[in-house]
Amino acid sequence: MRGSHAGGAAAPWVIDLRGTDPSALAGVRRWAARTVPHLGADHLNDVQIVIGELVANAYLHGGGPVRARLTALTTPCRVVIEVEDHWAAHPLQRTPRPGLYDARGHGMFLVHELADTWGVHEIPDSGGKTVWARLSCGNHARAPCP
């Protein structure tokens, strides 16, 4: 895994995930924590949960992730998470809470609950997609970032 910052205040940090397997998930969460250390603890925790769920979905349902991007905006305090994979199929949005015994649906339910909004952009050239989520700091559930 390699991460880099593309330069500029709001330019995305990118981590290449091609050829990795699900054992890379802990490293992705650590990378996110190193990338946006200025966030408040609640916001950073939510970012780590969401990027972990989106990357896990790419392994399970997307033919494996290609790359993940984090873009941190300071005004307003917001983080955009993007995970690109190889498959065009979109994740299912589960707004009702999945049942205790449901095997699936918990990850995107968490993304739906923690993100201000999320969606999917298709990548026509590759046949894949980018699943993105936007998380703002200082909302009803998170303290403002320092």
Side-chain angles (χ1 to χ4, degrees):
M1 289 187 297
R2 290 181 296 132
S4 64
H5 184 261
W13 285 271
V14 179
I15 187 168
D16 187 340
L17 296 169
R18 290 175 286 198
T20 62
D21 62 40
S23 67
L25 280 166
V28 169
R29 289 187 292 270
R30 284 191 305 271
W31 169 78
R34 287 190 314 267
T35 301
V36 289
H38 66 283
L39 299 180
D42 292 340
H43 196 192
L44 180 57
N45 185 55
D46 291 352
V47 166
Q48 289 178 298
I49 290 169
V50 170
I51 198 167
E53 291 300 334
L54 295 182
V55 170
N57 274 353
Y59 285 120
L60 291 171
H61 310 293
V66 175
R67 67 186 54 88
R69 287 181 293 277
L70 286 176
T71 304
L73 307 168
T74 55
T75 308
C77 178
R78 177 177 295 159
V79 174
V80 178
I81 300 165
E82 300 170 281
V83 175
E84 182 181 330
D85 66 35
H86 296 285
W87 292 55
H90 291 209
L92 300 176
Q93 181 175 343
R94 297 266 319 241
T95 44
R97 178 180 292 273
L100 182 60
Y101 299 105
D102 288 344
R104 297 181 180 236
H106 295 273
M108 288 312 293
F109 176 77
L110 282 171
V111 171
H112 181 77
E113 289 296 306
L114 295 174
D116 300 330
T117 187
W118 69 274
V120 180
H121 296 296
E122 294 178 13
I123 308 170
D125 295 343
S126 72
K129 67 182 174 301
T130 299
V131 182
W132 59 269
R134 186 177 66 223
L135 288 78
S136 294
C137 190
N139 71 11
H140 67 284
R142 295 178 203 103
C145 294

